[in-house]
Every structure is written in C-alpha cells, then in structure tokens.
Amino acid sequence: DNARRRLLACGYNVAECELTEIHCNQQPGCEDLEWIENGFVQGFVTVDGRSARVMDYAPGQLLQPHKHDLDELFEIRGGSVEVSTWPEGKEGKKETKILKAGDLIEIPSGVPHSLCCDKDAGLQFHELVGEGTEVFAKRATTFLIKDGFERPKLAVALSS
C-alpha cells in the first residue's frame, strides 16, 4: 500500500509491520470529517535501536486542531508539514512553521496544534518520547474544532 511504500522509502523497516489507519472522528466537532481531513497511518517498529511509533500522513492529509496531556517529540524522515500552534491558546497569536525531513516536531503538553501535510509527499516521522506503545497508550488527545480554532486548509505545496 502507499503508506507502507512511503515509510519504506524513508528507511523505516515496516515491510512486515502491521500498519493501522487511525481516523480521529469520535470527538465533538470531528464526527463528519473524512479520514484525509483528520487521520493518519501508524505502526510500531524498531528505529535507531529502540521501539517507536512511526506514522505516515498521506499527501495533503490534515490533522485538525488538538492538544495532548504529554509533551510530543517527533523526528521527520520524509515529506514536509505545516505545523500551526497556539502557544497562548485560541485568543493568542497562531504560530506556523514549515518542517521537513531532518527536522523535529516539538509540541509542549497542552499547546493546541494542527498539521497540514505536503500535497505531493505527505509526511513520514517517528516518535522520540517513550518506548513502543507506552506513550501513545498513555496520551490523551482532545480535538478543538468545537472551540473555534482555525482549521488547516487542504492540499498545500510545501516542498520546492
């Protein structure tokens, strides 16, 4: 499948790994969103000698504004992404960065953020916090669409 192909091309050993499509549509405001508007593919493999969650976002895929109760730290290995954060909350200024392979995505606990992936390459990355399923199982995610946060736009070209 396409997600597996993109992850393999970035050096992730996912040939035999179970990849799961995650569709984040269970929370208020997210019920009518398509997978491409609020989802991703994930698996758990060994990366740089440790068990880690790897993720693939399809070209043009989005993740709507949300926050977590734990810090996040990811290393990008493929594609690029526009990451928007609201460090001071919805009433504060939105900060936007374009990140690409080799960059880190760092999101402190409680900071609202959204993702808009490159329309051609998508985004491939892995988690650097915790081991294996540990952090993913403990992390709580709250989507913020119902709170009026600006939603990302589809299909932006981020790579040159």
Side-chain angles (χ1 to χ4, degrees):
D1 78 334
N2 289 331
R4 188 175 310 279
R5 181 182 48 73
R6 288 188 296 266
L7 287 166
L8 285 167
C10 295
Y12 293 118
N13 186 17
V14 296
E16 304 297 320
C17 167
E18 178 183 350
L19 295 178
T20 305
E21 192 173 280
I22 306 296
H23 186 180
C24 308
N25 66 342
Q26 301 300 310
Q27 293 189 26
C30 299
E31 303 93 331
D32 296 327
L33 295 173
E34 299 293 328
W35 176 77
I36 196 76
E37 296 175 291
N38 209 35
F40 54 92
V41 170
Q42 72 177 16
F44 296 89
V45 296
T46 300
V47 179
D48 298 335
R50 58 183 284 284
S51 178
R53 179 167 69 130
V54 297
M55 287 156 286
D56 174 78
Y57 283 70
Q61 189 137 28
L62 306 174
L63 196 61
Q64 299 300 321
H66 64 286
K67 63 182 178 180
H68 306 285
D69 59 346
L70 297 172
D71 292 344
E72 288 190 301
L73 181 61
F74 302 99
E75 179 184 328
I76 299 173
R77 292 258 176 113
S80 57
V81 62
E82 179 182 275
V83 178
S84 295
T85 60
W86 292 264
E88 307 300 322
K90 186 177 79 170
E91 304 308 319
K93 181 182 175 203
K94 177 176 91 169
E95 298 178 4
T96 301
K97 296 181 191 173
I98 305 293
L99 301 173
K100 62 187 180 329
D103 291 338
L104 297 178
I105 301 173
E106 299 180 78
I107 309 289
S109 172
V111 172
H113 57 287
S114 66
L115 303 178
C116 180
C117 299
D118 182 82
K119 75 176 186 73
D120 297 318
L123 175 68
Q124 298 75 42
F125 60 110
H126 66 277
E127 193 152 38
L128 294 172
V129 177
E131 287 279 329
T133 61
E134 170 196 4
V135 173
F136 182 67
K138 293 179 183 177
R139 176 186 298 124
T141 301
T142 304
F143 281 91
L144 303 168
I145 292 174
K146 66 182 182 348
D147 297 332
F149 280 82
E150 179 184 343
R151 293 176 55 186
K153 307 290 189 268
L154 278 173
V156 296
L158 302 175
S159 57
S160 49

